[in-house]
Structures are given as C-alpha cells and as structure tokens.
Amino acid sequence: MKRIIALLLCLCAAFALTACNDEGGEKASNEPTVIKLATQHPIEHMAHKAAERVKARIEKETEGRVQVKIYPANQLGDASQIYEEIIRGSIDAGHITVPDQFDSRLGAGFLPYIARDYDQIREVFASDAFLPQEMSKMHDDLGVKFFSYFGEGFIGVGTVEPLKNVTTPGTEKGMMIRVPGLDVFKFGAEELGFRTSSLPYADTYSALQTGVVKGWLGGPPNLNYLGFRDVINHYYQYNVNFESTQYVMNQEKFMSIPEADRKVVEEAFVDEGQQSFLMAESEDQMYRKKLEEAGVEVHMLTTQELEECASYVRDKAWKRLEKNLTPELLEGIKNSY
C-alpha cells in the first residue's frame, strides 16, 4: 500500500512539473525576440536613419514579436570587433564595413571601378547579382547571414592644386595623394596615375595643410565637404571606389526566429539596402553642390571618360589583386556587367 501511495505521489509531482514547464514555455514563447543591431554610423548619418526604418518595419510587421535594439557609432566596438562578435553570437546583427581578416574576398565591394556610375552600381549590388550571391556564400561559411550591401557614395579625389591629365588613366597626375592603406584603394589610384601615401586618416587634414600630400582619396562628396572643405580647392568625381557597407546577422540567431517573422526581418534589411543606392546618389549630388558653395571647384567626368578610366584600371589593377580576391571572383564580377 505504501508503495502504491508513493507511486501516486511521484506521478502527481511529475504532472505538476510538466504543468509548470508548459506554463514557463508559454511565457517564454510570448516574450519578444530582440535583435541587438550594432552599427559604425553616427546618429546623423543616413545609415542610422535607415536602421531606424528597419527597426520600425520589423516591429510593426511582426506585431512586436521581433524587436530591434540599435547600438550606433561603434558603441559595441569597431567594425572588426562587431563582426567577430556576430560570428560568436554575442552580437546579433551589424551594419558595418565587413573586415577581410577571415576571408580576403570579403573586401571585394571596394574593388577599384567595381562600377562606373550609379546605373552600373545598382546592377552589380542587386540582391540577385553575382557578387551579393557569392558574398552570401562566404558569410555563410563563417556562420553569418548576409542580407545586402548598403551604398554610401562614389569616392573621388580632393586636391589642393589642380591635377594634370585628369581624364587620361595611367598618366602622371602631378601629385602625391593620401589613400587608405588597402590594396584595393592603393592600386586603383596608382593605375589612374597618382603617387600614393598611406597616411592615417587622422593625419590627412594636417598633411594637406602642410603640403605633405597635395590631395586625398578615400571619401565620397559628403566626407570631402564635412571634413576637408577648408583645405581642398578641387574635387574630382573619379568614382574610382565605392563606399559600401553590409547588413549581416548571426546565422543561428536568424534561424531561431519563426519562419514568417524571419521573412519580415530579411525583407526589411534587403529592401533598405537596395534603396540606399538611390539615397547615396542623391547625397552625392547634394554634397557636390555644397562643395561648390564652399568655394571648391567640382570636376565631373563624362560617362565616356569614366568608362575609359574604368576599363583601364580594371585591366591593370584587378590583375594585381587576383592573389587575394581570386581570378574566379574577379571574372564573375566582370561577367556581371
């Protein structure tokens, strides 16, 4: 009899625990999924406004089941740290310049003349185009979900003095300019005809003031206006590189979201990324006008001149980049035009 009573008590306890677990599971399922989104952009940047739109759309279309917490301006670390933490899963998602220390091909978006102009850039970075599809595979191998590129503007050259042989690639331009310390920037500038110096960005303003360099490459019109309008007198819209960042997310975190809500999350990031190329073109135009109003002479190249520069630089500089970016990737990009 005692054994029967003990057995009944055990069964009652088991049912009670099951009920508690069910209740706890129901509560857990009712708790929203929070996506921790880290970005490198200050709150006044167009990319932060884009992040706010992504947040609003996801929260509205999932009826609050998925919420987004934005950490702007490198609050959670620089781009390299953020990407590493996304791989680990301690940060859920990021809008960053993806570093290339895990795979040298991840920097392919900065190829010199990856596109000639905005008509071409929208084709190259379209979601179903060759490069984004390959980028998705590279990230996936690292446990990361790639959503989209985000366009921030075509990079030109700001100078103190006028250039020589402006529209003739491969011909000496008559000055040394500062470029970022990456081959994708250095080789493109060299093949255009510039002598280059990889000074730190923080030293560029004083170097232009003192004549250590006579120009700089590394930013679209907005950065030339916001950071250098007082020391440059000319701006040349070479479109030699394109400033692009990426929307990425930890793969396990993404797959943990229910399928219907997962689709909302993906579409929010992809649509905002694709829309960015229209916004970037508008920003380029606006800041070129601001440069002119500040007394900087803006020089535009024609479509034909840009195509001549692009063809020459792709032929020369891309061969020098094959070792890190692989011939297969470069050939695939070429074939996508």
Side-chain angles (χ1 to χ4, degrees), residues 49-221:
K49 297 177 177 63
E52 290 179 329
R53 288 192 296 271
V54 167
K55 168 184 168 69
R57 177 174 172 181
I58 289 173
E59 293 178 356
K60 179 182 178 181
E61 294 187 13
T62 64
E63 298 178 339
R65 293 185 299 275
V66 181
Q67 297 182 4
V68 180
K69 173 68 174 174
I70 304 170
Y71 296 85
N74 289 327
Q75 286 182 12
L76 301 185
D78 64 20
S80 294
Q81 293 169 319
I82 291 170
Y83 190 71
E84 191 167 348
E85 294 305 320
I86 290 172
I87 292 175
R88 291 175 178 168
S90 53
I91 295 176
D92 300 321
H95 182 188
I96 54 172
T97 302
V98 172
D100 62 0
Q101 71 256 38
F102 298 100
D103 186 332
S104 60
R105 298 171 299 164
L106 289 171
F110 289 113
L111 270 170
Y113 285 108
I114 192 166
R116 176 194 62 220
D117 52 27
Y118 274 102
D119 287 339
Q120 205 169 69
I121 204 76
R122 283 187 281 269
E123 294 180 9
V124 174
F125 286 155
S127 295
D128 59 353
F130 173 81
L131 179 59
Q133 291 295 312
E134 291 299 303
M135 195 61 50
S136 182
K137 296 174 188 175
M138 297 174 210
H139 284 293
D140 191 58
D141 289 341
L142 296 167
V144 175
K145 170 70 176 176
F146 169 80
F147 293 117
S148 177
Y149 276 101
F150 186 97
E152 299 189 20
F154 268 111
I155 290 172
V157 177
T159 67
V160 177
E161 300 172 358
L163 294 177
K164 300 175 182 177
N165 306 309
V166 174
T167 61
T168 310
T171 305
E172 171 65 38
K173 298 293 180 283
M175 69 176 61
M176 179 179 289
I177 62 171
R178 180 268 173 188
V179 300
L182 298 172
D183 288 345
V184 285
F185 294 100
K186 178 180 171 63
F187 293 172
E190 287 176 350
E191 296 301 344
L192 277 177
F194 290 100
R195 287 170 280 121
T196 65
S197 170
S198 296
L199 288 167
Y201 177 78
D203 297 337
T204 303
Y205 189 95
S206 61
L208 289 166
Q209 275 185 319
T210 57
V212 173
V213 294
K214 295 295 182 68
W216 85 292
L217 176 152

Side-chain angles (χ1 to χ4, degrees), residues 204-261:
T204 303
Y205 189 95
S206 61
L208 289 166
Q209 275 185 319
T210 57
V212 173
V213 294
K214 295 295 182 68
W216 85 292
L217 176 152
N222 60 6
L223 203 51
N224 277 269
Y225 175 79
L226 295 172
F228 298 94
R229 66 181 182 273
D230 294 333
V231 287
I232 62 172
N233 297 306
H234 301 267
Y235 176 75
Y236 297 86
Q237 192 64 70
Y238 272 110
N239 293 3
V240 58
N241 302 93
F242 188 76
E243 186 73 21
S244 65
T245 43
Q246 299 181 33
Y247 283 132
V248 291
M249 186 173 180
N250 175 269
Q251 187 72 261
E252 285 189 17
K253 178 73 173 187
F254 178 68
M255 294 305 295
S256 73
I257 301 170
E259 187 174 355
D261 291 340

